[in-house]
Amino acid sequence: MTRKAAALISGGLDSLLAAKAIQQQGIHVEGINFFTGFCVEGHTHAIRKQDKDKPKRNNALWVAEQLGIKLHIIDIVDEYKDVVINPKHGYGANLNPCLDCKIFMVQKAHEWIQKKGFDFLITGEVIGQRPMSQRKQTMPIVAQESGAEDLLLRPLCAKNLPPTRPELEGWVDRELLHDFSGRSRKPQMALARHFGFEDYAQPAGGCCFLTDENYSVKLQDLWTNRGHKKYDLDDIMLLKVGRHIRPHKSYKLIISREEGETRFLSGYKKQFQSIKTISHAGPLALIEGATLNAEQIRLACAIVARFSKGKSSEQVELTYSAAGGEPETIHVSPLPAHEIPQHWYLL
Amino acid sequence: MQTIKVDARRLLCPMPVIRLQDAMEPLPVGSQVIITCTDPGVKNDIPAWSRINGQSVLNIQEQDHEIIITVQKDSNE
Ligand code: SF4
């Protein structure tokens, strides 16, 4: 009887190698990839025009294709909010709740294998690879708190861990598994060469925007100024786009930096107040927060004008529109760069 | 056999792929899904998803920044 395993596929090298190692033992493998809304995959490519020339691919799909396996992409945006908002094990260097995230994903994958009649699950985790979520002490925490227990096999470091059920039952041969540990990537690169994989993705910090300092500053700012940690998918998408400037606790500006971002932001004009330069080429800005009063509209327009081709002109004509409303013409002098305090800029 | 339309405009990858996958799951073999997207990444991602999951892309059309892709369900697995 052919045993079946589900592999958590992030799109990075480790999950590719882990799945391949198990596939080579005659196990039927299918991939699962979770979409949290914070995934790095392609978004900025999709938005920014200047990135369009670079080839873009979804690494999880690419990995599945290399392996010749099916890939199930699962939307966990809503359920994942609780992981980001209340991580039981805390955050890493930025707003990345890596340990809770791992537990949650393994738990979801465990539920999936039970529903689909698969025998066990595998991840590309390596002991000591990541400071927060992949340590010797955290490996059993992930297995226990996710409920996967001994059905969770980590092929790349299995020999450094107690045998799991797939090994004890003889579904896989423990001797053919690996004993990688630590931060070095050399063993993975050697194994990739052995399997003949080239051109794989090597994410530096992690698999999602929550490990990014600039992104985390913007998310924290959103939470602090709203007075709660709730968010929706549009909120977290918009944190990836444009220049963010907060002149006041009650509102901030999201100003496009190039044409691709302008087009992307214009899709939100029905939901947000917006400002567009008219007399000069310039950005589109969305206003996130409370409805602006007349004085705030003038200030916001002066800031937007500063980022237009008219920044050295006496006067710039712009339009301000309420969410989904008609444009109203405004004339202002662009705010000089030195009059925009540094602390208004969110990194 | 059915033909259904999915609106995935303004969604960024991999959301259009997820919408396609979820729309396709309950349909009988031979059905088609016509999905409209704005993220150009779908031109790579939807064919890649279709290849690995045993479905066929019948047509990719582009007009006014919109990409319309027709995918046929060939496999139920
Ligand atoms: S980097 Fe992001 S996706 Fe990866 S484990 Fe940490 S929180 Fe989860």
Side-chain angles (χ1 to χ4, degrees):
Chain A
M1 169 185 175
T2 305
R3 293 285 168 182
K4 297 201 272 187
L8 258 72
I9 301 290
S10 64
L13 177 60
D14 294 4
S15 55
L16 169 66
L17 296 175
K20 181 75 180 174
I22 292 305
Q23 224 182 3
Q24 287 229 313
Q25 295 208 23
I27 306 285
H28 171 86
V29 177
E30 294 190 17
I32 302 181
N33 173 256
F34 290 111
F35 177 65
T36 64
F38 295 101
C39 309
V40 177
E41 283 306 339
H43 287 142
T44 39
H45 278 296
I47 300 164
R48 298 198 71 171
K49 199 161 182 262
Q50 68 192 46
D51 290 339
K52 288 240 163 76
D53 299 339
K54 294 184 206 151
K56 175 203 166 295
R57 69 176 189 213
N58 177 302
N59 285 315
L61 286 168
W62 182 84
V63 162
E65 201 159 16
Q66 297 302 301
L67 294 163
I69 63 171
K70 291 194 169 184
L71 183 73
H72 308 273
I73 307 179
I74 303 177
D75 173 358
I76 53 167
V77 171
D78 282 333
E79 292 168 274
Y80 192 73
K81 287 178 186 169
D82 196 44
V83 177
V84 182
I85 293 171
N86 300 307
K88 183 175 150 196
H89 298 281
Y91 296 108
N94 294 298
L95 286 177
N96 49 311
C98 289
L99 184 49
D100 290 84
C101 171
K102 271 272 142 57
I103 294 167
F104 181 72
M105 288 188 182
V106 172
Q107 178 199 328
K108 288 271 130 204
H110 182 232
E111 287 166 14
W112 190 92
I113 63 165
Q114 287 172 308
K115 204 164 72 195
K116 303 276 182 180
F118 278 53
D119 299 289
F120 61 102
L121 34 123
I122 55 180
T123 67
E125 290 166 287
V126 169
I127 294 174
Q129 182 89 182
R130 297 223 188 267
M132 183 179 188
S133 58
Q134 299 189 29
R135 285 176 290 131
K136 186 128 194 164
Q137 307 90 298
T138 60
M139 297 275 162
I141 298 177
V142 174
Q144 278 156 21
E145 293 193 12
S146 64
E149 307 277 358
D150 64 352
L151 291 181
L152 173 60
L153 175 65
R154 285 101 163 189
L156 301 185
C157 61
K159 283 180 165 169
N160 296 327
L161 293 166
T164 58
R165 182 135 177 248
E167 295 156 276
L168 294 168
E169 299 271 358
W171 303 339
V172 300
D173 182 350
R174 181 175 169 88
E175 281 316 302
L176 299 176
L177 301 176
H178 301 276
D179 60 356
F180 300 171
S181 73
R183 303 203 70 148
S184 165
R185 304 289 298 156
K186 286 200 182 121
Q188 282 94 322
M189 279 146 87
L191 190 58
R193 263 196 307 279
H194 170 75
F195 285 141
F197 292 130
E198 288 165 20
D199 194 26
Y200 42 79
Q202 290 268 40
C207 18
C208 82
F209 269 104
L210 294 169
T211 56
D212 182 88
E213 187 187 350
N214 292 350
Y215 189 89
S216 293
V217 165
K218 286 185 269 184
L219 180 58
Q220 187 59 59
D221 165 82
L222 188 92
W223 286 345
T224 307
N225 289 290
R226 281 188 184 171
H228 60 72
K229 282 182 160 188
K230 292 201 190 98
Y231 64 82
D232 61 29
L233 188 58
D234 282 338
D235 291 328
I236 60 179
M237 288 293 156
L238 286 170
L239 294 183
K240 297 172 187 173
V241 189
R243 195 178 267 117
H244 290 230
I245 297 179
R246 179 177 290 287
H248 191 264
K249 188 176 163 41
S250 65
Y251 74 96
K252 74 168 176 184
L253 300 168
I254 305 171
I255 305 174
S256 64
R257 290 169 296 190
E258 43 85 80
E259 204 187 314
E261 289 192 340
T262 299
R263 188 172 314 125
F264 181 77
L265 292 181
S266 61
Y268 287 90
K269 277 162 53 182
K270 282 202 182 106
Q271 290 151 265
F272 290 84
Q273 304 163 79
S274 59
I275 292 171
K276 180 81 193 88
T277 52
I278 300 295
S279 55
H280 299 79
L284 172 70
L286 298 182
I287 292 139
E288 197 270 332
T291 302
L292 304 190
N293 61 32
E295 193 188 326
Q296 289 170 329
I297 290 174
R298 293 195 67 76
L299 174 62
C301 286
I303 295 170
V304 176
R306 142 91 193 87
F307 293 99
S308 76
K309 289 263 188 284
K311 66 179 173 202
S312 315
S313 310
E314 284 276 292
Q315 242 196 12
V316 173
E317 181 182 324
L318 306 96
T319 53
Y320 160 84
S321 310
E326 288 300 313
E328 193 186 306
T329 305
I330 313 273
H331 293 92
V332 290
S333 307
L335 202 64
H338 67 267
E339 284 186 31
I340 306 180
Q342 208 47 43
H343 70 267
W344 285 7
Y345 286 92
L346 305 176
L347 279 173
Chain B
M1 232 181 71
Q2 302 170 22
T3 299
I4 63 161
K5 290 193 172 175
V6 174
D7 182 357
R9 284 175 295 182
R10 288 184 47 221
L11 296 179
L12 300 179
C13 283
M15 283 303 282
V17 181
I18 298 175
R19 289 283 157 86
L20 171 67
Q21 173 189 270
D22 295 350
M24 214 142 206
E25 193 172 348
L27 298 179
V29 168
S31 301
Q32 294 181 2
V33 175
I34 302 170
I35 182 164
T36 307
C37 313
T38 45
D39 179 351
V42 296
K43 287 186 279 180
N44 295 328
D45 292 357
I46 289 184
W49 178 86
S50 303
R51 281 194 300 274
I52 60 180
N53 290 293
Q55 321 298 359
S56 330
V57 172
L58 300 184
N59 186 24
I60 302 183
Q61 242 180 291
E62 274 188 74
Q63 43 180 267
D64 306 331
H65 299 298
E66 290 190 356
I67 302 138
I68 303 158
I69 305 182
T70 308
V71 186
Q72 178 166 293
K73 180 158 178 172
D74 288 340
S75 152
N76 234 341
E77 281 179 16

